[in-house]
């Protein structure tokens, strides 16, 4: 994808008179104009104009350092932008990786900004640990280009002021011969993927002669996220670290290296100064900018590991490490069907959303991106792990043959089962470290994306009762036992207790999969997933001969619940399964999951009639517009919130998968499923990322990128591809 890119937010002497991408939205980029980088601890969004507009540091749920995405004036950003007046932008991931390249093209030259967070290369003795750094490489591959760099952090959600100090580095060695690239391990690999000629023996480089140090004030807040009894959560969620910005410069062909000068600059937010630099690169020149937390220990061993001498060779090695890590990981994927590139990209994104220390999966890396533009208030913090989303992610990984992640998440589930609620149940969501407290707070000083307040951190839905989570978890555990690793007895004991809990509580009203903030109801989807939980427990008993004193009770409860759903959730007049027992006129796209979890056959007449009603446009009582599916009618449904919302991408993929299940009776439905997936992929952004929702104009809404959507893409692609192959085989 490409667009005209102005210099964004640079000092007035460099600003170009162009509306550009931000001008159309009053200073904001569209949500779908970002790519994602990360290191399995945190992540950052990089705009097509070369600006990092969102990054929490050092972990996913830590306070933001850059957050221009939620306030164009106060939020903070790190931009590297060409100064030429008319520039075309293109952005892509380097093959099989999460290394992001943003290319700028103009008449005078072509430049590339390559962004990544380091991952250690597999099975390497010399680079076995991760360097928690944000790395930005800038190079010119044709002609000449002038860049404006500016780094304006806004610590602690733009609540905490900081001081800037620009230190001189006296041991820098400017422009000495450095024939390092040709000597680097796997240098041929880098020369293939990048534009740096590793065979050039006339390479010179120098380390930066200065660094910018940003020191935030120390302050604590007595409300909101981080106010918790869990020490690990408190440390991460209140982390406001001193950070520095360094650089290293290189050039090929024997020319002189460009000079970089960091200049203190006022931002206008009142939080503290940032740094700017304007520099010109010619073909063969390259600069690495590295931002990190400054080392907090002084021992020689610690400094040798986490504060090594910075050089061009070392920076290039970090990039090689990261490329090789992602290439090695995606090679384990066993899927080779239709939409392979999109499935692999979704898998890579889901891996980025995985928190390595525990195996938990964040629902999204962002918070408070609106589900509707305006004052609807549908803005939530998704930087936590939902049992539902993580279970679906485990399913997606197993379908692709990526079983290591499934094993890690099972360890996380076991830990949760050791500390169940007093009533024997689980919370619907946890922090990334298994904590339970995530107090919701509104940040009133931030205006929100496109002035869509409020900006919330924390999540008040943590104490909701959502009974569907047990079905989703038990289904994933069942598949884990089948495709990954047999359950141990201790794991079975934990699972058995959860099934007993479902038998005791399935008849309670809850808040449902959509986490409504209105009244509790007996949601149909929740009842179906309760049935799934008990059914998978029984299947495990039968397949593994696990001991189960309550087996008869389980069977009776499962069968009773099935008939209850068929009686109380079915509207014979409208011929559809309804949203809940209480609201017999409301339609809910969540019931599309019925055949996906084998509650009923995809060809069951009741389900087919429901599906066809969902496929009607909203003005005719359905939920589908332009082959995109709303989760429910937000205007007519009492979900405790106001306003409309966009179509829900998860539900659209569910419709495609449901159509493939129903196609056994009508093969034309299978080709409809293929069309829906093809069209949905078209709505993905330029690098294949999806948010939670899509509005009427095809724009992305909600937190981004969203795990749920990428999970549903993988599942739909896998099952529709399998159905298409089966159909072709039998035709």
């Amino acid at each position: 994808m490409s667009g005209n890119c102005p210099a964004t937010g640079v000092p007035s002497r460099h600003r170009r008179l162009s509306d550009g991408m931000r001008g159309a939205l009053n200073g904001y980029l569209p949500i779908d104009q970002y790519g994602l980088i990360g290191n399995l601890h945190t992540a950052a969004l990089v705009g097509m104009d070369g600006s990092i507009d969102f990054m929490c540091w050092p972990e996913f749920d830590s306070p933001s350092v850059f957050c221009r995405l939620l306030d164009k004036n106060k939020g903070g950003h790190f931009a590297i932008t060409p100064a030429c007046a008319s520039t075309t932008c293109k952005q892509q991931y380097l093959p099989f990786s999460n290394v992001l390249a943003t290319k700028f093209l103009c008449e005078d030259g072509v430049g590339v900004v390559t962004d990544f967070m380091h991952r250690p290369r597999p099975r390497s003795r010399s680079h076995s640990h991760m360097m928690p750094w944000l790395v930005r490489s800038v190079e010119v591959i044709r002609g000449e280009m002038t860049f404006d760099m500016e780094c304006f952090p806004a610590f602690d959600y733009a609540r905490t002021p900081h001081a800037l100090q620009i230190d001189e580095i006296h041991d820098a060695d400017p422009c000495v011969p450095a024939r390092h690239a040709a000597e680097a391990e796997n240098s041929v690999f880098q020369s293939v993927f990048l534009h740096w000629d590793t065979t050039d023996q006339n390479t010179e480089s120098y380390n930066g002669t200065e660094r910018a140090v940003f020191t935030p004030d120390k302050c604590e807040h007595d409300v909101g996220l981080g106010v918790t009894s869990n020490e690990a959560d408190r440390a991460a969620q209140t982390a406001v670290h001193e950070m520095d910005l360094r650089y290293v410069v290189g050039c090929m062909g024997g020319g002189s290296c460009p000079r970089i000068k960091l200049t203190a600059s006022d931002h206008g937010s009142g939080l503290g100064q940032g740094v700017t630099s304007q520099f010109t690169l010619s073909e063969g020149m390259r600069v690495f900018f590295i931002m990190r937390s400054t080392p907090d220990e002084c021992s020689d061993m610690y400094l040798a590991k986490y504060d090594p001498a910075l050089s061009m060779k070392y920076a290039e090695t970090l990039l090689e490490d990261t490329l090789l890590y992602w290439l090695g990981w995606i090679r384990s994927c066993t899927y080779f069907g239709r939409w392979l590139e999109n499935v692999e990209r979704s898998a890579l994104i889901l891996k980025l959303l995985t928190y390595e220390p525990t195996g938990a999966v964040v629902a999204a890396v962002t918070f408070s991106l609106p589900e509707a533009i305006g004052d609807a208030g549908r803005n939530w913090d998704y930087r936590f792990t939902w049992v539902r989303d993580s279970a679906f992610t485990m399913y997606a990984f197993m379908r692709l043959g990526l079983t290591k992640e499934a094993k890690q998440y099972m360890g996380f589930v076991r830990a949760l089962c050791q500390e169940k609620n007093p009533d024997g149940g689980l919370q619907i969501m946890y922090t990334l470290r298994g904590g339970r407290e995530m107090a919701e707070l509104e940040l009133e000083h931030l205006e929100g994306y496109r002035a869509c307040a409020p900006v919330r951190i924390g999540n008040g839905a943590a104490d909701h009762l959502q009974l569907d989570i047990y079905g989703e978890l038990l289904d994933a555990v069942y598949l884990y036992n089948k495709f990954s690793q047999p359950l141990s007895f201790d794991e079975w004991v934990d699972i058995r207790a959860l099934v007993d809990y479902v038998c005791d509580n399935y008849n309670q009203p809850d808040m449902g999969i959509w986490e409504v903030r209105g009244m509790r109801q007996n949601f149909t989807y929740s009842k179906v997933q309760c049935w799934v939980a008990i059914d998978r427990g029984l299947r495990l008993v039968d397949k593994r001969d696990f001991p189960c004193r309550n087996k008869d009770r389980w069977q009776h409860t499962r069968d009773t619940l099935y008939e209850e759903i068929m009686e109380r959730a079915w509207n014979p007049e409208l011929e559809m399964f309804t949203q809940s027992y209480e609201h017999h006129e409301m339609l809910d796209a969540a019931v599309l999951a019925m055949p996906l979890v084998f509650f009923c056959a995809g060809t069951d007449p009741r389900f087919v009639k429901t599906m066809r009603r969902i496929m009607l446009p909203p003005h005719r009582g359905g939920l589908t517009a332009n082959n995109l599916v709303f989760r429910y009618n937000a205007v007519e449904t009492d979900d405790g919130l106001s306003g409309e919302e966009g179509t829900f991408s998860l539900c659209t993929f569910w419709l495609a998968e449901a159509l493939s299940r129903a196609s056994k009776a009508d093969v034309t439905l299978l080709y409809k499923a293929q069309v829906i997936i093809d069209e949905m992929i078209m709505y993905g952004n330029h690098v294949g990322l999806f948010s939670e929702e899509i509005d009427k104009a095809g724009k992305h809404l909600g937190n981004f990128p969203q795990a749920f959507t990428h999970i549903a893409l993988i599942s739909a692609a896998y099952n529709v591809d399998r159905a298409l192959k089966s159909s072709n085989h039998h035709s």
Side-chain angles (χ1 to χ4, degrees):
M1 183 171 179
S2 63
N4 292 325
C5 305
T8 56
V10 298
S12 59
R13 65 183 184 276
H14 303 316
R15 190 172 294 126
R16 295 296 180 259
L17 299 176
S18 172
D19 289 337
M21 286 185 277
R22 292 180 186 270
L25 298 179
N26 192 30
Y28 292 94
L29 283 182
I31 293 172
D32 59 9
Q33 296 285 298
Y34 289 93
L36 182 73
I37 60 172
N39 60 7
L40 311 190
H41 291 254
T42 190
L45 291 177
V46 185
M48 282 191 67
D49 59 357
S51 180
I52 294 179
D53 288 346
F54 185 91
M55 184 179 77
C56 294
W57 189 270
E59 306 204 327
F60 289 110
D61 55 348
S62 296
S64 62
V65 174
F66 304 122
C67 199
R68 179 156 65 166
L69 190 62
L70 294 173
D71 194 304
K72 64 181 183 293
N73 297 316
K74 302 175 186 173
H77 62 279
F78 184 1
I80 301 176
T81 308
C84 51
S86 180
T87 308
T88 298
C89 317
K90 295 183 181 292
Q91 194 175 66
Q92 67 178 43
Y93 284 105
L94 297 185
F96 313 111
S97 81
N98 282 316
V99 175
L100 189 68
T102 307
K103 184 175 288 188
F104 302 104
L105 305 95
C106 68
E107 290 293 332
D108 296 331
V110 177
V112 181
V113 176
T114 303
D115 291 299
F116 67 97
M117 293 185 186
H118 176 244
R119 289 294 305 165
R121 73 177 64 190
R123 297 175 296 279
S124 171
R125 293 181 179 179
S126 58
H127 303 94
S128 59
H129 65 280
M130 184 187 79
M131 297 303 298
W133 295 355
L134 168 65
V135 185
R136 312 198 73 185
S137 163
V138 191
E139 60 184 314
V140 167
I141 58 177
R142 177 182 67 78
E144 184 178 274
M145 184 170 284
T146 297
F147 291 89
D148 289 303
M149 184 282 294
E150 56 180 15
C151 182
F152 288 104
F155 292 96
D156 188 27
Y157 307 108
R159 295 185 295 187
T160 299
H162 67 268
L164 167 67
Q165 181 172 325
I166 299 179
D167 294 337
E168 291 186 4
I169 302 176
H170 297 289
D171 59 350
D173 197 0
C175 289
V176 297
R179 295 181 176 85
H180 55 270
E183 301 168 0
E185 183 183 356
N186 290 312
S187 60
V188 174
F189 177 84
Q190 185 175 152
S191 67
V192 169
F193 278 80
L194 305 173
H195 307 284
W196 191 254
D197 184 1
T198 58
T199 64
D200 195 320
Q201 297 298 311
N202 295 315
T203 299
E204 294 183 348
S205 69
Y206 74 90
N207 301 338
T209 58
E210 55 192 355
R211 67 168 185 155
V213 181
F214 305 95
T215 305
D217 292 350
K218 297 296 183 181
C219 62
E220 296 183 0
H221 304 280
D222 57 3
V223 293
L225 195 62
V227 181
T228 171
S229 59
N230 185 305
E231 292 185 8
D233 282 343
R234 185 165 60 253
Q237 294 169 2
T238 61
V240 181
H241 293 178
E242 181 181 82
M243 302 186 74
D244 67 10
L245 177 66
R246 301 176 294 163
Y247 60 90
V248 60
V249 183
C251 55
M252 297 183 299
S256 60
C257 294
R259 310 305 301 175
I260 307 294
K261 178 65 177 177
L262 300 181
T263 303
S265 179
D266 292 323
H267 182 246
S269 66
L271 293 173
Q273 290 184 312
V275 292
T276 62
S277 179
Q278 186 174 80
F279 54 92
T280 300
L281 302 182
S282 300
E283 183 176 343
M285 296 180 178
R286 189 177 191 179
V287 181
F288 278 96
F289 290 98
I290 296 100
M291 193 169 188
R292 59 167 188 172
S293 297
T294 56
D296 55 3
E297 290 187 28
C298 296
S299 68
D300 292 341
M301 182 179 297
Y302 180 90
L303 293 177
K305 186 173 183 179
Y306 291 107
D307 191 26
L310 188 59
S311 66
M312 181 62 71
K313 176 181 178 180
Y314 191 77
E316 289 172 350
T317 301
L318 295 181
L319 179 52
E320 280 188 8
D321 286 353
T322 306
L323 286 166
L324 287 167
Y325 171 85
W326 290 114
L327 176 61
W329 184 81
I330 198 62
R331 275 180 173 173
S332 301
C333 177
T334 58
Y335 180 79
F336 297 102
R338 290 170 177 81
W339 309 290
L340 174 61
E341 183 178 351
N342 306 96
V343 168
E344 287 187 338
R345 176 50 53 198
S346 290
L348 284 162
I349 292 303
L350 289 177
K351 181 63 173 177
L352 269 185
L353 299 180
T354 303
Y355 181 61
E356 185 177 49
T358 63
V361 179
V362 292
V365 302
T366 57
F367 57 91
S368 288
L369 286 177
E371 297 172 9
I373 300 301
D375 57 358
R378 299 173 182 266
N379 311 344
W380 315 111
D381 189 346
Y382 276 15
R383 298 171 300 157
F384 305 105
T385 182
W386 273 252
V387 172
R388 176 190 305 113
D389 298 39
S390 295
F392 281 145
T393 303
M394 186 163 69
Y395 164 82
F397 280 146
M398 285 188 292
R399 280 302 188 198
L400 302 181
L402 303 168
T403 57
K404 179 180 178 181
E405 285 68 27
K407 293 177 182 178
Q408 191 177 19
Y409 180 67
M410 273 300 298
F412 183 69
V413 170
R414 280 223 62 202
L416 298 183
C417 288
Q418 304 306 307
E419 298 184 14
K420 292 194 273 296
N421 296 338
D423 63 357
L426 300 175
Q427 281 195 178
I428 65 163
M429 70 176 87
Y430 294 85
T431 69
L432 302 177
R433 292 152 290 276
R436 298 167 172 271
E437 302 166 62
M438 50 203 84
E440 189 171 284
L441 174 68
E442 293 187 7
L443 301 178
E444 297 180 357
H445 65 288
L446 297 178
E447 71 170 18
Y449 177 74
R450 295 178 58 186
C452 295
V455 174
R456 295 186 177 100
I457 57 173
N459 200 302
D463 60 353
H464 278 191
L465 177 66
Q466 296 174 19
L467 293 169
D468 65 284
I469 66 171
Y470 299 99
E472 291 136 358
L473 178 59
L474 265 293
D475 191 37
V477 168
Y478 172 78
L479 293 172
Y480 173 81
N481 177 79
K482 183 177 181 180
F483 294 113
S484 181
Q485 181 171 305
L487 289 180
S488 68
F489 174 73
D490 291 331
E491 289 170 333
W492 165 246
V493 171
D494 292 332
I495 297 305
R496 183 175 64 188
L498 293 180
V499 178
D500 285 334
Y501 173 85
V502 174
C503 289
D504 292 336
N505 293 277
Y506 77 89
N507 56 357
Q508 290 191 51
D510 71 347
M511 308 301 273
I513 181 177
W514 308 131
E515 296 180 355
V516 298
R517 298 208 172 187
M519 297 294 293
R520 288 188 180 186
Q521 300 177 46
N522 288 284
F523 286 100
T524 301
Y525 178 82
S526 294
K527 301 304 181 188
V528 168
Q529 288 292 356
C530 285
W531 177 90
V532 170
I534 303 170
D535 177 75
R536 300 311 189 262
L538 287 167
R539 292 192 191 197
L540 286 169
V541 171
D542 292 339
K543 291 184 178 296
R544 294 290 309 279
D545 292 324
F546 280 129
C548 183
R549 298 187 183 91
N550 293 330
K551 182 179 180 180
D552 290 343
R553 184 195 178 209
W554 289 8
Q555 288 178 324
H556 174 75
T557 304
R558 180 190 63 177
D559 296 345
T560 299
L561 180 54
Y562 193 100
E563 293 192 0
E564 176 186 295
I565 294 169
M566 287 299 187
E567 178 182 350
R568 298 186 63 187
W570 175 252
N571 184 324
E573 288 77 25
L574 296 178
E575 294 188 310
M576 68 179 194
F577 286 109
T578 60
Q579 184 181 57
S580 67
Y581 295 173
E582 291 82 0
H583 292 92
H584 251 217
E585 294 76 33
M586 295 296 176
L587 196 57
D588 192 324
V591 301
L592 289 169
M594 282 179 161
L596 280 55
V597 297
F598 302 103
F599 175 81
C600 65
T603 56
D604 186 290
R606 290 191 177 191
F607 175 76
V608 172
K609 290 174 181 177
T610 303
M611 181 178 66
R612 290 193 179 278
R613 178 171 285 273
I614 289 172
M615 293 171 68
L616 294 174
H619 68 271
R620 293 177 57 192
L623 296 174
T624 304
N626 191 29
N627 278 343
L628 301 173
V629 182
F630 294 91
R631 53 182 174 176
Y632 52 77
N633 188 320
V635 176
E636 297 180 3
T637 298
D638 178 19
D639 60 4
L641 299 165
S642 61
E644 299 184 13
E645 61 179 16
T647 58
F648 216 75
S649 298
L650 164 75
C651 296
T652 304
F653 283 120
W654 275 1
L655 174 60
E657 190 169 346
L659 284 165
S660 73
R661 304 296 177 100
S663 67
K664 293 180 180 179
D666 181 358
V667 72
T668 62
L669 298 179
L670 180 56
Y671 300 106
K672 177 70 172 177
Q674 185 174 5
V675 167
I676 288 175
I677 293 180
D678 286 338
E679 290 191 0
M680 268 302 295
I681 286 173
M682 177 179 65
Y683 286 107
N685 80 346
H686 56 288
V687 288
L689 308 189
F690 289 88
S691 63
E692 188 172 36
E693 300 182 12
I694 298 172
D695 72 7
K696 294 176 182 177
K699 303 296 184 182
H700 288 215
L701 292 171
N703 285 306
F704 176 85
Q706 229 267 356
F708 231 165
T709 306
H710 287 279
I711 294 163
L713 185 156
I714 292 172
S715 181
Y718 180 93
N719 287 291
V720 172
D721 176 71
R722 184 169 61 176
L724 285 166
K725 289 176 179 176
S726 177
S727 174
N728 293 335
H729 178 74
H730 290 102
S731 61

